[in-house]
Amino acid sequence: MKNWIKWTLTVLALAFIVSGCAVFQTSKTEPHTTEGAQTEVTTEPTTEVAETEQEIPVDPYPTYRLPVPSDRERGNIISKVSYDPQKRYAIHYPAFGKEKVDGIIVQQIEDWIKEYTGESHPDSQSEMRIDYASYDIDNDRVTVLFYVEKNGSDMAHPDEMWQTRYFDIKKDEEIPQGQLIGEKGIKQIASLATSKFERDAKFADLPKDEMFEEGMAPTEANYRNTVITDDGVRIIFEKYQIFAGFVGTQIIEIPKSEIEELPVFAPPATEPATEAATEPETEAATEPVSEEATEAETEEAEETEPETSGDEKLIALTFDDGPTPGTTQRILDALDQVDGHATFFMLGNRINSYPDVVQAVSKQGSEIGNHSYSHPDLTKLYKADLDSQIQSTDEIIADQIGSAPKVMRPPYGAHDSDVAAAAGKPIILWSIDTLDWKTRDADSTVDTVLSQAEDGDIVLMHDLYEATADAAVRLIPELAQRGFKLVTVSQLIESRGVSFDAGKVITSVTK
Ligand code: ZN
């Protein structure tokens, strides 16, 4: 993380990736269980996003919407997803492998979930999205920047919020902002930020009125979102803090050279030398990521195998929202036992944290599909955000395995004609919904699949959960025993001679 542009990219990416349309459209019908159905080619009636007097945010960096995954500089990504249509959420937060720091973060996330699920949104769909970036301040200390957005069909505007936290990973503790910036420091960055707003041509047309003065005043509250990195600070001024809401979130960057006397950048000589020296060196830099990732190396040639042979029973197991260390590998091992394959619809933001797991999936001969970058309801996004969610994930997958995915599955199965147009590949839904996310019960998942499985089915599961891996380990040999060949979605499509038309919606592919 050495350059300013990249940083700006990320914060805006977080904002725009997470932020969606202010207006919820009428609820989409979820895909139904359509066992035995022929391939569906959908020319769906689109429920267009309502054209209302909704404010259009001014975006000073319209092209800077791509996520910059390397801006998760420290920690592993942990994701929580709720598929409950009334209370959807997709949450991503970091884990550093440190008890206290991780506990503080988990507590914060739980508080946000509790608050959200406790809010009443009568006859409404709602969605909460939480995403983050993490920055090294130095070897021991990090800034974690959270973005929280809530949206509901009964809300005029999405409710958005930033939160900035600082942690000493080595000492396993949170650092109060006062220790890093201090009162004097706030005055200094406030004055630098104010003069940047006044001198920069980009902000020339914006009114520097009372609201501006109040929002820029050197108080802790105004500067609560000061992101500290190893090369300076970036101050986030939330929507409505200094300018009218339509102007949107603003960011001011101050390079380290201008603020070297802030306590956080002060030379270490000011700290008692012994403290650092006696600190136990127990820190594990990152959690181990899929130890078994390299084991499957001998199977690379497998992918080109022809999968067709007339009257075989085929079934495509699919696993969404991963990759997940451990869980994904257990499923791969079970597939190996029966020479089977599956499709893993992965999130772009998790692939970067767990590249070894992605490699293992690819080497096993299973398929990697696009499940968006951060799991928003794609039907609620502006076009640029929608494109970014899909394209960035295609690129991240191509970087990992050398080719872009051939299939995609939109989060929550939510799709419309805009999503179809942006997808660039078939949209894969499912014919058997295991509800594994809800039951978290292996028996129930196994029963659901075995009682319904027929030729051509596409089965929905999630490799976020251990219970799903438990179910897969039992299901996979049993399906093989019953004469099913376990194939990827693409193999199923190819075997049945169906075309890969962009935007085509597929729920199952029977003979
Ligand atoms: Zn999902």
Side-chain angles (χ1 to χ4, degrees), residues 224-480:
R224 66 192 179 280
N225 286 316
T226 298
V227 171
I228 306 171
T229 75
D230 56 2
D231 58 4
V233 302
R234 285 79 171 173
I235 308 152
I236 296 164
F237 297 97
E238 291 192 32
K239 222 170 162 179
Y240 303 108
Q241 184 179 341
I242 53 174
F243 298 124
F246 69 85
V247 180
T249 301
Q250 297 295 321
I251 300 147
I252 287 292
E253 304 156 347
I254 304 172
K256 198 170 172 177
S257 57
E258 294 181 31
I259 44 169
E260 266 166 325
E261 59 276 33
L262 286 194
V264 63
F265 298 129
T270 54
E271 273 178 36
T274 50
E275 200 182 309
T278 54
E279 203 60 38
E281 293 288 337
T282 50
E283 181 185 347
T286 48
E287 264 173 41
V289 176
S290 177
E291 312 75 15
E292 292 135 83
T294 51
E295 264 177 32
E297 264 167 45
T298 49
E299 303 192 28
E300 281 187 66
E302 213 162 351
E303 275 187 79
T304 49
E305 249 177 49
E307 289 290 339
T308 42
S309 98
D311 32 54
E312 269 177 318
K313 280 198 294 181
L314 305 180
I315 192 163
L317 301 184
T318 66
F319 298 91
D320 293 7
D321 300 353
T324 304
T327 311
T328 307
Q329 186 63 49
R330 289 181 62 208
I331 298 166
L332 294 177
D333 291 343
L335 288 165
D336 268 340
Q337 298 299 312
V338 301
D339 193 23
H341 301 106
T343 300
F344 294 79
F345 288 100
M346 295 186 182
L347 296 174
N349 64 2
R350 292 179 61 85
I351 291 173
N352 284 297
S353 280
Y354 306 117
D356 292 358
V357 187
V358 181
Q359 294 297 327
V361 171
S362 173
K363 279 179 180 150
Q364 195 271 335
S366 280
E367 175 172 38
I368 294 166
N370 184 327
H371 194 44
S372 83
Y373 184 78
S374 58
H375 209 282
D377 179 339
L378 296 176
T379 64
K380 310 290 195 296
L381 300 184
Y382 291 118
K383 186 171 186 326
D385 308 331
L386 166 60
D387 289 342
S388 165
Q389 283 280 341
I390 294 170
Q391 285 164 20
S392 64
T393 304
D394 276 354
E395 284 162 23
I396 290 165
I397 292 170
D399 279 354
Q400 282 298 327
I401 64 168
S403 58
K406 291 164 79 177
V407 289
M408 74 94 58
R409 172 173 289 156
Y412 313 109
H415 63 285
D416 57 16
S417 64
D418 290 338
V419 174
K425 49 185 83 61
I427 291 174
I428 310 302
L429 301 179
W430 53 85
S431 51
I432 297 179
D433 186 350
T434 61
L435 298 176
D436 61 335
W437 61 272
K438 197 175 193 173
T439 67
R440 307 279 181 99
D441 178 62
D443 288 343
S444 160
T445 301
V446 170
D447 290 349
T448 303
V449 177
L450 293 180
S451 64
Q452 298 183 34
E454 285 178 17
D455 171 64
D457 272 327
I458 298 174
V459 182
L460 173 64
M461 291 182 271
H462 300 82
D463 58 333
L464 268 185
Y465 312 112
E466 273 303 294
T468 299
D470 294 341
V473 163
R474 288 163 49 192
L475 262 178
I476 288 168
E478 182 57 30
L479 286 168

